[in-house]
Amino acid sequence: MRKKSYFVKLLSFNIALVIVAISFLGYIAYYKTSSLMNEKIDKINAQLLQQTQLQLENSLQTVESAIIQFTRLPSFTAVLDEDLTMISYDNYVKVNDIVSEISSLYSHSSIINSLEIVNLEKGWVLQNGGALSITEAYTDEEMVRLRRFASGSTWSKTADSEFFQYTLKVPSSAFDRDQGIVTIKISSSDLFRELIRSKDLGQMTLIDDKGKAIRNITQYALRKQDVNRIVRTLQSQVKQYPHGNFSARINGSDYSFIYRHSEKYEWTYLSMVSTLETAQSSRFIGLFIFFTGFVVSGVFFVLSLYGTRRLYTPIQQLYQMVSMNSADKWNGQPQSNEMDFIHNRMQVFFQDSQKLRGQLYMQTNQLNDFFAYQLFRGEVKPQEIENNFRRDTDWNQFCVLAVQIDTLKNSGYLEKDRDLLLFAIKNMLGETAAEWIVLNPVIINRTQVVLLGSAHRNIDAFKEELYLLSRTIQEAVKQFLRLHVSIGISDPFNQPAEASSAYDEAADALKSRFMHGREAILYASDFDANELGNTVKYPGFMVKELIDAIKFGDAEQSKRTLHNIISEMCSGHYRYRDCSMFIFLLLMDLIKISHQAEERYTALVEEIPIFQKLDRLLQTSVNELEDWIYEHIVEPILEEMLARSESRQMSIIRTLIQIIHDEFDPELTLEACAARLHYNPNYLGQIFRKEKGISFSDYLSQNRLNMARKLLAETEDQIQEIAEKLRFSNSQNFIRYFKKLEGITPKQYRDNRIKHSG
């Protein structure tokens, strides 16, 4: 698969970014422009609506003022009190005067079309420049309606909607008289000229308090129900706000409405504008922005192409460099682009670098551990110590600590966990004694060994600190690993080259810990003083007793005797070297009595040499040492002995009985028989009692007595002769022996036998 160039992706991203940015800005500009345009149109319409209201109501107020001034003229008040229905010269003159005033009013206010004066009290009407009876101008119903007209003035629209009519009751100060009414009419077309009409800004109209359109909406094709809907919406809006705007959708088109309510005239000015014209203007703006954005995008495309090439050049150079220096250029996998290839190569590089750092760290630790191991073994030359040994200037004394696990028995750990536990102890030792450590701890022969340094010059102070440090280490191991450890401490020394002999001292001191119990802290100097005593002797008699017990298959006695031997050897009366030698001799003595001695010895040393095995045994507790010897040496030999113990014991018993029967020597003893048979007299006595139910001496006495009875009963030998046959020194001893056991003398026994037989 052909890889996609990163250059293409980079260029595509730049172009896409430009297009998105310009499109976003264009949309925002279009949206904002349209919004501002709508707001501007609404604002202009609101201003025009307010201006129209002011102009229209100013015109109406001007008419009202003119009419009020007219009703206050002397000629008007004079004619109002006359009965013009009567034909007279005075009335004629008065009518001409008032008509002149009305003509002057027309010329002053050009929008007034007609003026009519109705005198309800005198019953006449003045209209069109002449006076006539009120009955000729109005019907009875119309006169009733005129009389009901309240005081003050009002504007209304005529029935034919061609005129606006203004009605004023006169005189205005007569609250209890219905004297007359002045009515003027203004052409609707003249009044609506004040309502500005523009296609772009919509159409203005008036809605009265009854919801009727004073001026119809002709600019838009609206149905009657559409107008009613607009009026209902307008009335609900006016109840809340006297002026404002709202929108409505009518016949699929959107319209914007602006209104202002007149409190004085109780009608509402309404401006209606279709948003279609605004949308068309906005579309033009959108098209302009689109084409402008297209041009800008083209310019940015050229700039992006140039800029992308400049940015891609370092990437291309890096890619070529990585590609040329990669043994497996594509690593057998398709790469999406150059950056993907570089990323994979750099990831492999960093992984290799991390592995290399880890290997270097491990090798450095291994070299440090190897140097410490060689130093403790005495295999480092003085020159190497001088070149490689890290020594701080404030170290005046050194010492070696050897830390060893007491036992894994009943700890929850297995023997296979020992190495991992020693590694954990190494970490604890490194943290606890960090400021003391000269060389990192190393594991030698299942022992954690560390070289420590101190600024102390006083040996006793140094030893005291070492003791406190040792207790801290023991507590930490007990807390976190639930194990007991013992620690051997060498004598302090001044030169690192003495670390080898110091290690031997600490190891030898630690070897004696099985005689001191768990969590022992052992100083090499203490054992140097104890080992100056006399040489002790191997407890062979106890070992002989153990061997006899094993030979006779007595497991309980074997276990008790072994316990006594181990307790004696580990009692502290022996030096470690003597103790280890005695344990070795014990093992050899036990193996020798087995018929499979060679096989047992081979099994004992097939993994490690015998003395190394002894060292490991002595590094455990006394109980574990005893259990191991019993389980691996004593118990297998016991099983072997028990397999043939019955026949062997019977043979020994028969031999003893034969000796007893053949020899009548009064001095015959169990010890003498045991010496002749090469067995321990105690165990001969035990198995004899076990088989015969009586002791050896009792059986011997019983046998002699039976022989004496037989000789006395079956022969006529003299007492002296029988005593000689039974190996008594004289007859008196025989007589005393017989009487002691039988209760009567030999002669009395013979006489009784003869008497009973006769």
Side-chain angles (χ1 to χ4, degrees), residues 569-582:
M569 291 181 177
C570 301
S571 62
H573 301 145
Y574 300 90
R575 296 177 300 181
Y576 172 78
R577 294 182 180 86
D578 295 332
C579 187
S580 61
M581 181 58 68
F582 292 165

PDB file of all heavy atoms in Angstrom, residues 569-582:
ATOM      1  N   MET A 569      25.461 -31.119  73.040  1.00  0.00           N
ATOM      2  CA  MET A 569      26.393 -30.510  72.084  1.00  0.00           C
ATOM      3  C   MET A 569      26.148 -29.016  71.914  1.00  0.00           C
ATOM      4  O   MET A 569      27.081 -28.258  71.637  1.00  0.00           O
ATOM      5  CB  MET A 569      26.280 -31.212  70.724  1.00  0.00           C
ATOM      6  CG  MET A 569      26.802 -32.633  70.713  1.00  0.00           C
ATOM      7  SD  MET A 569      26.660 -33.361  69.067  1.00  0.00           S
ATOM      8  CE  MET A 569      27.407 -34.977  69.321  1.00  0.00           C
ATOM      9  N   CYS A 570      24.896 -28.584  72.051  1.00  0.00           N
ATOM     10  CA  CYS A 570      24.543 -27.173  71.835  1.00  0.00           C
ATOM     11  C   CYS A 570      24.342 -26.442  73.155  1.00  0.00           C
ATOM     12  O   CYS A 570      23.673 -25.400  73.201  1.00  0.00           O
ATOM     13  CB  CYS A 570      23.268 -27.065  70.989  1.00  0.00           C
ATOM     14  SG  CYS A 570      23.402 -27.844  69.371  1.00  0.00           S
ATOM     15  N   SER A 571      24.889 -26.979  74.223  1.00  0.00           N
ATOM     16  CA  SER A 571      24.687 -26.369  75.539  1.00  0.00           C
ATOM     17  C   SER A 571      25.565 -25.155  75.768  1.00  0.00           C
ATOM     18  O   SER A 571      25.391 -24.437  76.747  1.00  0.00           O
ATOM     19  CB  SER A 571      24.976 -27.416  76.621  1.00  0.00           C
ATOM     20  OG  SER A 571      26.333 -27.852  76.545  1.00  0.00           O
ATOM     21  N   GLY A 572      26.529 -24.913  74.877  1.00  0.00           N
ATOM     22  CA  GLY A 572      27.443 -23.793  75.056  1.00  0.00           C
ATOM     23  C   GLY A 572      28.762 -24.196  75.683  1.00  0.00           C
ATOM     24  O   GLY A 572      29.659 -23.359  75.829  1.00  0.00           O
ATOM     25  N   HIS A 573      28.906 -25.477  76.021  1.00  0.00           N
ATOM     26  CA  HIS A 573      30.161 -25.962  76.590  1.00  0.00           C
ATOM     27  C   HIS A 573      31.186 -26.289  75.521  1.00  0.00           C
ATOM     28  O   HIS A 573      32.343 -26.564  75.833  1.00  0.00           O
ATOM     29  CB  HIS A 573      29.906 -27.212  77.447  1.00  0.00           C
ATOM     30  CG  HIS A 573      28.945 -26.952  78.574  1.00  0.00           C
ATOM     31  ND1 HIS A 573      28.038 -27.887  79.020  1.00  0.00           N
ATOM     32  CD2 HIS A 573      28.725 -25.846  79.334  1.00  0.00           C
ATOM     33  CE1 HIS A 573      27.319 -27.384  80.020  1.00  0.00           C
ATOM     34  NE2 HIS A 573      27.716 -26.138  80.216  1.00  0.00           N
ATOM     35  N   TYR A 574      30.735 -26.291  74.280  1.00  0.00           N
ATOM     36  CA  TYR A 574      31.606 -26.666  73.174  1.00  0.00           C
ATOM     37  C   TYR A 574      31.820 -25.460  72.270  1.00  0.00           C
ATOM     38  O   TYR A 574      30.937 -24.628  72.100  1.00  0.00           O
ATOM     39  CB  TYR A 574      30.983 -27.803  72.344  1.00  0.00           C
ATOM     40  CG  TYR A 574      30.728 -29.073  73.125  1.00  0.00           C
ATOM     41  CD1 TYR A 574      29.510 -29.274  73.762  1.00  0.00           C
ATOM     42  CD2 TYR A 574      31.697 -30.048  73.212  1.00  0.00           C
ATOM     43  CE1 TYR A 574      29.262 -30.436  74.470  1.00  0.00           C
ATOM     44  CE2 TYR A 574      31.467 -31.224  73.929  1.00  0.00           C
ATOM     45  CZ  TYR A 574      30.252 -31.410  74.551  1.00  0.00           C
ATOM     46  OH  TYR A 574      30.013 -32.550  75.251  1.00  0.00           O
ATOM     47  N   ARG A 575      32.954 -25.420  71.638  1.00  0.00           N
ATOM     48  CA  ARG A 575      33.203 -24.414  70.613  1.00  0.00           C
ATOM     49  C   ARG A 575      32.454 -24.802  69.341  1.00  0.00           C
ATOM     50  O   ARG A 575      32.106 -25.971  69.161  1.00  0.00           O
ATOM     51  CB  ARG A 575      34.703 -24.300  70.332  1.00  0.00           C
ATOM     52  CG  ARG A 575      35.520 -23.809  71.517  1.00  0.00           C
ATOM     53  CD  ARG A 575      36.996 -23.798  71.201  1.00  0.00           C
ATOM     54  NE  ARG A 575      37.474 -25.150  70.855  1.00  0.00           N
ATOM     55  CZ  ARG A 575      38.731 -25.428  70.555  1.00  0.00           C
ATOM     56  NH1 ARG A 575      39.638 -24.449  70.555  1.00  0.00           N
ATOM     57  NH2 ARG A 575      39.091 -26.653  70.248  1.00  0.00           N
ATOM     58  N   TYR A 576      32.286 -23.817  68.473  1.00  0.00           N
ATOM     59  CA  TYR A 576      31.540 -24.083  67.243  1.00  0.00           C
ATOM     60  C   TYR A 576      32.225 -25.158  66.411  1.00  0.00           C
ATOM     61  O   TYR A 576      31.575 -26.050  65.871  1.00  0.00           O
ATOM     62  CB  TYR A 576      31.377 -22.799  66.428  1.00  0.00           C
ATOM     63  CG  TYR A 576      30.790 -23.043  65.069  1.00  0.00           C
ATOM     64  CD1 TYR A 576      29.422 -23.262  64.925  1.00  0.00           C
ATOM     65  CD2 TYR A 576      31.598 -23.095  63.931  1.00  0.00           C
ATOM     66  CE1 TYR A 576      28.879 -23.522  63.682  1.00  0.00           C
ATOM     67  CE2 TYR A 576      31.055 -23.354  62.688  1.00  0.00           C
ATOM     68  CZ  TYR A 576      29.695 -23.563  62.562  1.00  0.00           C
ATOM     69  OH  TYR A 576      29.160 -23.815  61.335  1.00  0.00           O
ATOM     70  N   ARG A 577      33.541 -25.081  66.307  1.00  0.00           N
ATOM     71  CA  ARG A 577      34.265 -26.064  65.499  1.00  0.00           C
ATOM     72  C   ARG A 577      34.105 -27.466  66.087  1.00  0.00           C
ATOM     73  O   ARG A 577      33.908 -28.446  65.363  1.00  0.00           O
ATOM     74  CB  ARG A 577      35.739 -25.679  65.396  1.00  0.00           C
ATOM     75  CG  ARG A 577      35.988 -24.386  64.621  1.00  0.00           C
ATOM     76  CD  ARG A 577      37.469 -24.078  64.497  1.00  0.00           C
ATOM     77  NE  ARG A 577      37.706 -22.842  63.762  1.00  0.00           N
ATOM     78  CZ  ARG A 577      37.709 -21.639  64.315  1.00  0.00           C
ATOM     79  NH1 ARG A 577      37.497 -21.523  65.622  1.00  0.00           N
ATOM     80  NH2 ARG A 577      37.925 -20.571  63.579  1.00  0.00           N
ATOM     81  N   ASP A 578      34.197 -27.555  67.432  1.00  0.00           N
ATOM     82  CA  ASP A 578      34.004 -28.852  68.069  1.00  0.00           C
ATOM     83  C   ASP A 578      32.582 -29.350  67.865  1.00  0.00           C
ATOM     84  O   ASP A 578      32.357 -30.543  67.594  1.00  0.00           O
ATOM     85  CB  ASP A 578      34.311 -28.751  69.568  1.00  0.00           C
ATOM     86  CG  ASP A 578      35.773 -28.437  69.837  1.00  0.00           C
ATOM     87  OD1 ASP A 578      36.615 -28.809  68.992  1.00  0.00           O
ATOM     88  OD2 ASP A 578      36.060 -27.806  70.873  1.00  0.00           O
ATOM     89  N   CYS A 579      31.632 -28.411  68.007  1.00  0.00           N
ATOM     90  CA  CYS A 579      30.228 -28.795  67.852  1.00  0.00           C
ATOM     91  C   CYS A 579      29.951 -29.312  66.450  1.00  0.00           C
ATOM     92  O   CYS A 579      29.299 -30.336  66.270  1.00  0.00           O
ATOM     93  CB  CYS A 579      29.330 -27.609  68.176  1.00  0.00           C
ATOM     94  SG  CYS A 579      27.583 -28.032  68.212  1.00  0.00           S
ATOM     95  N   SER A 580      30.436 -28.609  65.429  1.00  0.00           N
ATOM     96  CA  SER A 580      30.228 -29.062  64.060  1.00  0.00           C
ATOM     97  C   SER A 580      30.906 -30.402  63.817  1.00  0.00           C
ATOM     98  O   SER A 580      30.369 -31.274  63.117  1.00  0.00           O
ATOM     99  CB  SER A 580      30.741 -28.012  63.075  1.00  0.00           C
ATOM    100  OG  SER A 580      32.137 -27.798  63.255  1.00  0.00           O
ATOM    101  N   MET A 581      32.126 -30.616  64.409  1.00  0.00           N
ATOM    102  CA  MET A 581      32.809 -31.904  64.254  1.00  0.00           C
ATOM    103  C   MET A 581      32.023 -33.013  64.945  1.00  0.00           C
ATOM    104  O   MET A 581      31.887 -34.125  64.419  1.00  0.00           O
ATOM    105  CB  MET A 581      34.218 -31.810  64.830  1.00  0.00           C
ATOM    106  CG  MET A 581      35.024 -33.109  64.683  1.00  0.00           C
ATOM    107  SD  MET A 581      35.175 -33.648  62.956  1.00  0.00           S
ATOM    108  CE  MET A 581      36.222 -32.338  62.329  1.00  0.00           C
ATOM    109  N   PHE A 582      31.482 -32.747  66.140  1.00  0.00           N
ATOM    110  CA  PHE A 582      30.718 -33.756  66.853  1.00  0.00           C
ATOM    111  C   PHE A 582      29.447 -34.128  66.083  1.00  0.00           C
ATOM    112  O   PHE A 582      29.058 -35.306  66.058  1.00  0.00           O
ATOM    113  CB  PHE A 582      30.363 -33.262  68.254  1.00  0.00           C
ATOM    114  CG  PHE A 582      31.539 -33.124  69.175  1.00  0.00           C
ATOM    115  CD1 PHE A 582      31.440 -32.405  70.364  1.00  0.00           C
ATOM    116  CD2 PHE A 582      32.769 -33.706  68.850  1.00  0.00           C
ATOM    117  CE1 PHE A 582      32.515 -32.285  71.207  1.00  0.00           C
ATOM    118  CE2 PHE A 582      33.853 -33.578  69.693  1.00  0.00           C
ATOM    119  CZ  PHE A 582      33.731 -32.860  70.876  1.00  0.00           C
TER     120      PHE A 582
END
